[in-house]
Amino acid sequence: MSEPGPASATTTEEAAARELRAAELSVFPTFPMARQLPGLTLETAYRIQQHGTALRTAAGGRPVGHKIGLTSVAMQQQMGVSEPDSGVLLADMEVACGGGLSTTRLIAPRVEAEIAFRLGTDLTGDDIGLGAAQAAVSEVFLALEVIDTRYGDWRIGLEDSVADNASAARFVLGPASPAEDLPDLGAALVEVRVDGEHAAAGPGRDVLGDPLRPLLWLARRLATLGGALRAGDVVLPGSVHASIPLTAATTVSASCAGLAPVCFRAL
């Protein structure tokens, strides 16, 4: 993207979103936004993300929920950041459990396992607690999320990630379990295997102390923007382990006591 001139901030943000979308579609990376736009703030990065979501929906995409990233110490240390971020999930990002996931349309994919949720009721406001989050959840899944960077490599900052829709790319949900039937999710140990070999593991509590806590973080952030988490939304609350490079011709699976397993084949 060329250096911004006298154009308005909105025009600059829209241009940044178009550039990131072009990188995604062409599988040809661009430069980190913080390098292109010196002084890039988180607020501006989220506006770029909103413009990017608008481009996807204009092309027929359908938002189905949210992803929250960088919620575990392992991921924050891996990315060199100290706070979470969030992005929007669209229907065309979902891959069927047990299905094939093409890596040819991705630039630098990595995979991570999460304990994910579907909301049965809205979760709104900035003065809510864990009880409200638990009451709002109707279903729980093991999930595998594939993240990608439209910048070509992972030497990026928080603002870069936010502008790039929090690095969202693909997600796979295992079979749903009713929320009321579940054990303590904080104590649940999630194990990831690649081609049957142990690759990573972590308990649910590694995600902000409880995998439900990211829902509170996101509900509060959305409230500042006049939004909310809505009934039916799928929410990926973040990985319990550092992300793993994803290569073609591998099978990735995750398992956890009390939840149905999830897997996909990278093509």
Side-chain angles (χ1 to χ4, degrees):
M1 186 172 67
S2 60
E3 290 296 318
S8 69
T10 299
T11 301
T12 300
E13 292 156 10
E14 290 175 343
R18 287 195 297 271
E19 183 165 325
L20 285 164
R21 179 63 170 160
E24 180 183 7
L25 293 174
S26 67
V27 201
F28 190 84
T30 186
F31 294 106
M33 279 299 137
R35 191 188 310 172
Q36 297 192 58
L37 301 173
L40 178 66
T41 65
L42 268 180
E43 180 182 1
T44 299
Y46 275 112
R47 287 199 296 268
I48 293 171
Q49 181 188 121
Q50 289 174 330
H51 287 302
T53 300
L55 290 173
R56 292 179 176 90
T57 55
R62 179 173 58 87
V64 294
H66 305 265
K67 66 149 291 179
I68 310 168
L70 308 173
T71 51
S72 67
V73 171
M75 283 301 298
Q76 290 183 358
Q77 289 178 341
Q78 185 178 55
M79 298 299 295
V81 302
S82 58
E83 62 181 286
D85 67 357
S86 69
V88 178
L89 298 176
L90 292 101
D92 59 5
M93 295 179 179
E94 185 170 6
V95 175
C97 183
L101 189 156
S102 174
T103 59
T104 62
R105 304 305 304 168
L106 303 174
I107 296 172
R110 302 180 72 88
V111 64
E112 48 192 50
E114 312 183 24
I115 298 172
F117 306 102
R118 177 173 281 119
L119 299 186
T121 60
D122 294 355
L123 184 62
T124 63
D126 56 5
D127 185 23
I128 49 178
L130 272 179
Q134 186 169 11
V137 169
S138 62
E139 295 178 323
V140 184
F141 314 80
L142 264 186
L144 289 165
E145 182 186 3
V146 175
I147 57 174
D148 196 20
T149 173
R150 270 57 76 166
Y151 304 120
D153 62 44
W154 291 97
R155 292 175 293 179
I156 59 175
L158 183 62
E159 291 80 7
D160 298 311
S161 174
V162 167
D164 190 24
N165 197 28
S167 305
R170 305 287 187 270
F171 68 97
V172 185
L173 300 177
S177 297
E180 60 269 18
D181 295 342
L182 295 176
D184 176 10
L185 294 177
L189 182 69
V190 179
E191 182 181 14
V192 185
R193 292 182 175 272
V194 177
D195 288 339
E197 298 294 325
H198 173 85
R205 68 171 62 93
D206 281 1
V207 178
L208 295 185
D210 187 302
L212 288 166
R213 287 193 183 279
L215 275 67
L216 302 179
W217 177 87
L218 182 57
R220 291 164 182 158
R221 191 189 74 76
L222 293 174
T224 67
L225 304 173
L229 287 168
R230 300 299 184 188
D233 281 352
V234 170
V235 183
L236 305 182
S239 177
V240 299
H241 60 89
S243 63
I244 304 165
L246 179 65
T247 56
T250 56
T251 297
V252 183
S253 63
S255 60
C256 174
L259 292 172
V262 60
C263 68
F264 69 84
R265 176 75 175 169
L267 306 175

